Amino acid sequence: MSATHPRLRLGTSLRLAGLLAALACAGGALAPSLQASTPAEARAALASGIEEVTTLLREAQGRQNLVETLGQLAEQHFAFTTTTRLAIGRDWRDFTPEQQTRAVELFSRLVIRTYADRVTGDIRPQVSVGQATELRPGRVEIPTTVNHGGQTFAVTYRLELDREATPARWRIYDVIAEGVSLISNYRAQFEPIVRRSGAAGLISTLEAKLAEQNASAPSAASPTTAG
Amino acid sequence: MLRLQRLALTTLATFSALALFAAPLAAQTLDRGRAIDERTGAAPDEDDFDDYAAVRVSDPLEGWNRRVFAFNDWTYTRVLTPATKAYETVVRPPVNRAIGNFFDNIRFPVRFVNSVLQGKFSRAELETRKFVVNTLGGLGGFIRQSDNVPSLAEIPREDFGQTLGVWGVPHGPYIVVPIFGGYSLRDLTGRLGDTVVSPTGWEYIDLGGHDWAGELDWQWRTTITVTDTMSTLPGVLEIYGQMKDAAVDPYLSVRDATRRYRDAETAR
């Protein structure tokens, strides 16, 4: 709607970022080129990934199926451990290995469900992918411009090279829509919880949030259960 | 008395719009100090925590703000969302979009003045061209003809809050305003400043004793305000709903997003 109000841009772009994150993840699965290791190759991989998934979305039949597919692909191609670790911040070191695993599982489920749910097949964004900048070794940032219904949004992706995968591949760990980073936004929420009630508190908060989503949208796919 | 009544009505309506978009958006901070961590011995590859040092939003009124936020949440969910749905059955989205374009176009003075105040003269010139194109070529602004002109399609929008930021004024404390949502003190001040410059705000302001819109009776003014509000409300409510849906603490999520969005906007 009102393509015009600046405040609307944020929400729309958040939604698009979610979509594109899902797109890019799915793209990762589809694009063998994601298995490359230089920043320029990361850029090419992101671009072709977005392209392929846009096509996939256009042709997809059945929303439920789509949500499940995207969820599974996201699980494989998003660097959720890094995303979760950075969203929690330094307190991550006080988590036991079991708590870390559990936090990653719950948080990735929350992100996937939230974003996959927003994906609709009739969106055909035009995405132009900018040049990759290396943030630190094995980490790149790639700005993109998304044109959707006449509006343009700035969506920046951050990818990391997963060297443990064979072959090594780039995975997305953050999406920054109009200046609002997924990781930062969750860190702003997580920090006080962890300070107040520790790792256990954060885990139970995430569990409660997922339960609440289940209750309000029983039909929503709970696409993939990590582990 | 009558004037007060008008003001109350219009304010209420305008609220919805402003508040709403403010809702998802107003977050503020004092300093961007990096999170302090006394612990040492970080593994080298874990130093990346600093890549995401938290934005410290000054929020001395948090207790009060959270109460207002809860009230706003109830209002958005229980009152404004149903109202919007009803409105949309009467005024269809394409029509509403045209109305939104119209109001956006006549707010040209806000963008022009603030471009100039920030020394962005070429941007001010582009805004002027855009206004002329849309007003003359777009049926008085209902059609955004400027979208067909590449140089005019995406001009970053300036407002007084951004101007204050460019001038170095800090955000100050975060304030959640009933209905309107959260702002930093700086951006709230900016909003009030924009009201003076925007034609849609002239009716409230006595410019040198001249009552610009005095001839309009209150029904008309209210209609204008409601229409203006409703042209942005559905989208704003949708965004708010999505943010709330994704958040474990919606208050903090909105506060952070508002702040970062405004900072990114100011930097453009």
Side-chain angles (χ1 to χ4, degrees):
Chain A
M1 74 121 321
S2 150
T4 55
H5 201 283
R7 294 214 179 252
L8 294 182
R9 297 168 50 85
L10 172 61
T12 313
S13 61
L14 286 176
R15 195 170 56 223
L16 278 172
L19 166 66
L20 293 171
L23 293 188
C25 295
L30 299 172
S33 56
L34 259 198
Q35 303 159 357
S37 57
T38 69
E41 286 164 328
R43 175 188 182 277
L46 183 63
S48 71
I50 290 171
E51 172 60 33
E52 290 185 50
V53 183
T54 310
T55 310
L56 172 77
L57 275 185
R58 207 158 41 223
E59 291 165 0
Q61 300 295 321
R63 180 185 150 69
Q64 192 60 34
N65 185 28
L66 183 67
V67 169
E68 281 175 26
T69 308
L70 287 175
Q72 284 164 6
L73 294 171
E75 188 84 35
Q76 292 167 35
H77 300 286
F78 220 99
F80 278 120
T81 303
T82 301
T83 308
T84 309
R85 189 170 64 80
L86 290 172
I88 291 172
R90 286 192 164 79
D91 295 319
W92 173 257
R93 295 177 196 144
D94 299 336
F95 282 48
T96 66
E98 294 73 34
Q99 286 172 328
Q100 291 181 346
T101 309
R102 183 69 177 146
V104 171
E105 180 193 329
L106 293 169
F107 182 53
S108 55
R109 223 190 293 167
L110 175 64
V111 171
I112 291 169
R113 191 179 300 176
T114 304
Y115 282 140
D117 231 27
R118 295 177 193 168
V119 171
T120 54
D122 58 350
I123 294 184
R124 291 189 199 190
Q126 289 174 289
V127 184
S128 61
V129 181
Q131 293 304 318
T133 315
E134 192 167 39
L135 295 170
R136 54 174 72 232
R139 293 264 173 98
V140 297
E141 180 172 277
I142 305 178
T144 67
T145 305
V146 182
N147 191 296
H148 177 242
Q151 296 177 85
T152 308
F153 305 96
V155 180
T156 298
Y157 292 89
R158 289 185 171 179
L159 293 85
E160 73 171 2
L161 183 62
D162 181 355
R163 294 195 177 85
E164 284 166 21
T166 16
R169 69 190 313 151
W170 289 95
R171 295 178 199 266
I172 296 164
Y173 70 95
D174 194 13
V175 183
I176 305 169
E178 295 280 330
V180 182
S181 143
L182 174 75
I183 288 176
S184 297
N185 197 259
Y186 278 105
R187 192 188 286 191
Q189 302 172 55
F190 290 172
E191 245 175 19
I193 297 173
V194 177
R195 292 275 144 87
R196 201 183 322 123
S197 44
L202 180 61
I203 286 169
S204 60
T205 302
L206 286 169
E207 282 168 344
K209 178 68 195 181
L210 286 164
E212 174 199 316
Q213 282 191 341
N214 272 340
S216 65
S219 65
S222 120
T224 44
T225 311
Chain B
M1 219 40 221
L2 190 55
R3 219 181 154 86
L4 263 185
Q5 193 183 17
R6 283 182 205 150
L7 188 65
L9 276 172
T10 339
T11 304
L12 188 64
T14 312
F15 251 129
S16 340
L18 299 189
L20 285 172
F21 31 92
L25 287 172
Q28 343 305 340
T29 297
L30 265 196
D31 54 291
R32 322 188 122 216
R34 306 200 138 188
I36 297 162
D37 181 53
E38 301 84 22
R39 271 165 285 182
T40 51
D45 67 318
E46 290 200 353
D47 277 345
D48 57 354
F49 288 126
D50 276 345
D51 293 357
Y52 288 97
V55 166
R56 298 286 165 207
V57 178
S58 165
D59 194 359
L61 305 175
E62 182 169 344
W64 168 255
N65 280 344
R66 279 189 183 268
R67 255 170 280 164
V68 179
F69 186 86
F71 166 77
N72 287 351
D73 177 65
W74 182 87
T75 311
Y76 303 157
T77 313
R78 297 300 168 88
V79 181
L80 294 177
T81 302
T84 303
K85 296 233 159 73
Y87 185 85
E88 281 186 321
T89 62
V90 181
V91 179
R92 305 305 298 170
V95 176
N96 207 20
R97 204 171 304 131
I99 294 170
N101 288 342
F102 172 80
F103 282 108
D104 188 54
N105 188 52
I106 64 168
R107 286 199 185 88
F108 151 76
V110 173
R111 299 185 293 268
F112 176 83
V113 167
N114 285 292
S115 295
V116 170
L117 289 176
Q118 294 174 39
K120 295 168 178 167
F121 300 109
S122 58
R123 198 168 286 177
E125 191 207 324
L126 287 174
E127 284 288 0
T128 309
R129 282 197 214 173
K130 180 176 165 183
F131 178 71
V132 171
V133 166
N134 286 333
T135 306
L136 298 182
L139 301 179
F142 286 100
I143 301 170
R144 280 213 304 178
Q145 285 292 2
S146 59
D147 283 352
N148 301 319
V149 183
S151 65
L152 303 182
E154 285 297 328
I155 308 171
R157 286 152 192 286
E158 302 298 351
D159 57 52
F160 195 48
Q162 295 181 59
T163 299
L164 292 173
V166 168
W167 289 354
V169 177
H171 276 287
Y174 181 64
I175 300 162
V176 182
V177 181
I179 314 291
F180 282 96
Y183 292 89
S184 67
L185 183 57
R186 181 186 89 195
D187 286 336
L188 189 58
T189 309
R191 271 227 85 80
L192 297 176
D194 289 338
T195 308
V196 178
V197 179
S198 170
T200 53
W202 287 351
E203 61 191 274
Y204 301 119
I205 292 153
D206 194 348
L207 295 171
H210 197 103
D211 188 1
W212 291 90
E215 304 312 311
L216 284 182
D217 56 27
W218 73 269
Q219 291 96 329
W220 269 108
R221 295 179 186 212
T222 307
T223 304
I224 290 170
T225 307
V226 168
T227 315
D228 183 10
T229 303
M230 284 302 184
S231 70
T232 52
L233 199 50
V236 173
L237 287 170
E238 192 191 345
I239 294 160
Y240 174 72
Q242 288 177 351
M243 290 191 70
K244 188 174 118 179
D245 203 39
V248 294
D249 186 336
Y251 175 81
L252 293 179
S253 176
V254 168
R255 195 180 75 180
D256 172 81
T258 306
R259 176 52 183 272
R260 286 179 189 273
Y261 177 73
R262 283 297 285 172
D263 284 347
E265 214 179 14
T266 305
R268 272 199 290 270

